[in-house]
C-alpha cells in the first residue's frame, strides 16, 4: 500500500511519514505504523496528531479508519484524546521497562571540569539577546525580497557598509565595502586564502593556536615558526616566505602588542618582497589600560589582509567574520567562494549589519570591556594576595592572561590544576611543533578569565591559586 507524507495544515505542525503495509486491512496497517512511530521515538510524547479528516485525505483512507486506529492506540495508552486539544502522543506512551532499557544503553553524561579557565570563549551568558533580537526583527522587516534569493559571495552590502564604517572608526582600518568579503569566521578566511590565493609557505608566530596551524597543514600549507619576544614577533627573522600571519594588536597567546618599529618593519618587508601580512585581529576591541592599538592594515591596505570575526566580541557560534582585502585579492577570493554565498546566512548578516549600524555593537563591546576588565583586575588582585611570587603578563588586553611559572613546573602545575577540577592550558600547548629550542618561551599558564559565570569565578580563582607552585 501507499507511503504518504502527511503535512496537515491544521495541527500536527510537523511532517509525518507513515508506511501503510503488512498484513490486515488499512486500519491495522495504520495502527501498526503509528504504534511503530511512537515506540521508535519518531513521534515524541506530547506531539499532536493530525485531525481524522486531514490524515484520511492524505493517506487516501476513510475517516473512520483513522478514527478507529486512534481509538485503539488511546485504549493502549499510547495516545490521549482530549476535547479541545485533539489527539496527542501520551506523555508516557511506552511501558516503563522499555524506557529503562533505552536509558541503560545511553552513554553516561560526560562530566566537564568544575572550573573552566581555558582561553577562547567569551562570557556566553552575556550574549546581548534583547538587542540582537531587536536587530534581527528590524533586519527581517527591512530586507528586500531579493535578499532571500541566492546570496552574494562578497556578503550582504548592508553588512559590508556597516563594517567599513565601524572598522575605520574603531580599528583604524582603511577600506571601503568593495574590499570586504564576509566569511564565517577567521578559520574560514584561512581556508579561503590558502592555498588558492596565497601559495607557498606561511610564516607564523612560534606560539599560536594549534587548530589554525593544523587547518593550514591539512590544506597543504607549510607553516614556518617565527620567534617571539616581549615586543612581539621578530619580523626581522622573516626569510624566504611571501606571507606572514601575525596577531599584532595582542599576540596570541603571550599577550603583548607588536612593537611600532616592528609594525613598520613588517610592512616594509611586504613591500620589498611583494609579500603580504595577514592580520588576525581576533580581540582588538578588548584593550584596557592603554590607547587601543590600531589595525596594522591602516599602515598599508595593499600589503595587509585584515581578518576579524565576532567570535570574541559576541559569540563563536554565530560564525560570522570578515576579510578586508588588498584590491588584487578581491576577485580571487570571490572566485574561491563560488557563484553564491554558501556559508554565512543572510539573516545573521543583516542582523549584524543592523547591530553594528545601530550602535548596539559599540554598546555591547563597551559593556563587555568593563566586565572583562573587572575579571582581569580580580585575577591580578587574587594572585597578588595569594600567590605574589607568580608574575602575570599579557594583561593589557584580551580575555586571557599568562602566568609565568618557575622553569620546569608547567606540566606539573597543569596536572595539579586538573586534579582540582580546573581546565586550563600551559603555554606548551600553543608552541609550533617545529619551533627550535631557542624559540621556546619560559614556562607559563594561559588563563582565560571570560568563561566562568560571574558567581563561579571566585571559586575558580581559589582553585587556581591552590594549584600554583609554592614560592
Ligand atoms: C588567535 C585567534 N584567532 C582567531 C580567532 C577567531 O576564530 P573564528 O573567527 O574562526 O572563530 C580566535 C578565537 O576566537 C583566536 O583565538
Amino acid at each position: 500500500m501507499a507511503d504518504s507524507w502527511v503535512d496537515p495544515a491544521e495541527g500536527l505542525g510537523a511532517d509525518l511519514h507513515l508506511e501503510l503495509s503488512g498484513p490486515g486491512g488499512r486500519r491495522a496497517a495504520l495502527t501498526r505504523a503509528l504504534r511503530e512511530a511512537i515506540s521508535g521515538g519518531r513521534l515524541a510524547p506530547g506531539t499532536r496528531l493530525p485531525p481524522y479528516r486531514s490524515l484520511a485525505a492524505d493517506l487516501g483512507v476513510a475517516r473512520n479508519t483513522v478514527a478507529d486506529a486512534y481509538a485503539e492506540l488511546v485504549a493502549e495508552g499510547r495516545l490521549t484524546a482530549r476535547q479541545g486539544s485533539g489527539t496527542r502522543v501520551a506523555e508516557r506512551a511506552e511501558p516503563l521497562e522499555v524506557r529503562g532499557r533505552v536509558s541503560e544503553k545511553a552513554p553516561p553524561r560526560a562530566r566537564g571540569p568544575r572550573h573552566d579557565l581555558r582561553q577562547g570563549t567569551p562570557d556566553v551568558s552575556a550574549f546581548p539577546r534583547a538587542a540582537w533580537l531587536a536587530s534581527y526583527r528590524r533586519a527581517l522587516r527591512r530586507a528586500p525580497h531579493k535578499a532571500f534569493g541566492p546570496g552574494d559571495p562578497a556578503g550582504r552590502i548592508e553588512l559590508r557598509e556597516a563594517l567599513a564604517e565601524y572598522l575605520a572608526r574603531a580599528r583604524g582600518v582603511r577600506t571601503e565595502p568593495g574590499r570586504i568579503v564576509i566569511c564565517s569566521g577567521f578559520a574560514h578566511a584561512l581556508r579561503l586564502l590558502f592555498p588558492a590565493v596565497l601559495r607557498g609557505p606561511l610564516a607564523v608566530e612560534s606560539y599560536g593556536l594549534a587548530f589554525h596551524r593544523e587547518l593550514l597543514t591539512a590544506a597543504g600549507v607549510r607553516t614556518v615558526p617565527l620567534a617571539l619576544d616581549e615586543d612581539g614577533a621578530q619580523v626581522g627573522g622573516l626569510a624566504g616566505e611571501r606571507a606572514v600571519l601575525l596577531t599584532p594588536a595582542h599576540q596570541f597567546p603571550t599577550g603583548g602588542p607588536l612593537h611600532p618599529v616592528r609594525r613598520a618593519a613588517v610592512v616594509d618587508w611586504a613591500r620589498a618582497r611583494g609579500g603580504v601580512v595577514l592580520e588576525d585581529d581576533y580581540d582588538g576591541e578588548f584593550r584596557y589600560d592603554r590607547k587601543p592599538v590600531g589595525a596594522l592594515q591602516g599602515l598599508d591596505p595593499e600589503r595587509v589582509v585584515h581578518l576579524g570575526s565576532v567570535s570574541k566580541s559576541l559569540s563563536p557560534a554565530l560564525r560570522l567574520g570578515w576579510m578586508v582585502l588588498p584590491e588584487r585579492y578581491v576577485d580571487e577570493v570571490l572566485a574561491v567562494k563560488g557563484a553564491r554565498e554558501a556559508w554565512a546566512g543572510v539573516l545573521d548578516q543583516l542582523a549584524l549589519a543592523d547591530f553594528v549600524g545601530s550602535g548596539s555593537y559599540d554598546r555591547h563591546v563597551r559593556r563587555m570591556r568593563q566586565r572583562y576588565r573587572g575579571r582581569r583586575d580580580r585575577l591580578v588582585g587574587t594572585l597578588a594576595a595569594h600567590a605574589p611570587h607568580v608574575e602575570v603578563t599579557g594583561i593589557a588586553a584580551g580575555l586571557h592572561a599568562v602566568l609565568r611559572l618557575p622553569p620546569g613546573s608547567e606540566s606539573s602545575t597543569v596536572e595539579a590544576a586538573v586534579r582540582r577540577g580546573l581546565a586550563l592550558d600551559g603555554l606548551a600547548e600553543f608552541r609550533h611543533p617545529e619551533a627550535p629550542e631557542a624559540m621556546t618561551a619560559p614556562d607559563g599558564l594561559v588563563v582565560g578569565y571570560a568563561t566562568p559565570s560571574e558567581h563561579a569565578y571566585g571559586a575558580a580563582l581559589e582553585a587556581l591559586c591552590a594549584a600554583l607552585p609554592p614560592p
Side-chain angles (χ1 to χ4, degrees), residues 119-120 185-187 209 212 247 252 280 282 309 311-312 319:
Q119 63 71 38
F186 174 81
L209 210 55
H212 293 153
T247 46
F252 182 88
D280 176 2
Y282 65 104
S309 82
S311 290
K312 288 278 162 78
R319 301 316 305 148

Side-chain angles (χ1 to χ4, degrees), residues 257-346:
L258 186 64
H259 192 281
V261 171
R262 292 192 183 167
R263 285 165 61 94
V266 75
V267 169
D268 286 346
W269 164 86
R271 286 175 181 152
R273 288 200 53 89
V276 62
V277 185
L278 306 185
E279 173 176 38
D280 176 2
D281 198 39
Y282 65 104
D283 67 1
E285 296 95 342
F286 297 112
R287 174 148 288 276
Y288 311 120
D289 296 334
R290 276 175 283 146
K291 252 184 355 129
V293 176
L296 184 71
Q297 190 266 7
L299 296 186
D300 191 340
E302 290 307 322
R303 290 287 146 207
V304 181
V305 175
H306 179 83
L307 303 167
S309 82
V310 299
S311 290
K312 288 278 162 78
S313 55
L314 280 169
S315 158
L318 278 181
R319 301 316 305 148
L320 272 178
W322 46 88
M323 321 167 74
V324 182
L325 295 164
E327 189 166 17
R328 67 188 183 285
Y329 294 142
V330 174
D331 288 344
E332 284 180 83
V333 168
L334 291 178
V336 175
K337 277 195 92 178
R340 300 166 161 204
E341 175 59 57
W343 288 272
V346 68

Side-chain angles (χ1 to χ4, degrees), residues 129 132 136 140 155 187 205 269 281 283 338 368 376 408 443 446 456:
R129 292 175 192 245
W132 185 259
Y136 215 92
L140 189 53
E205 292 158 332
W269 164 86
D281 198 39
D283 67 1
M368 295 315 293
R376 192 259 338 235
D443 284 19
V446 179

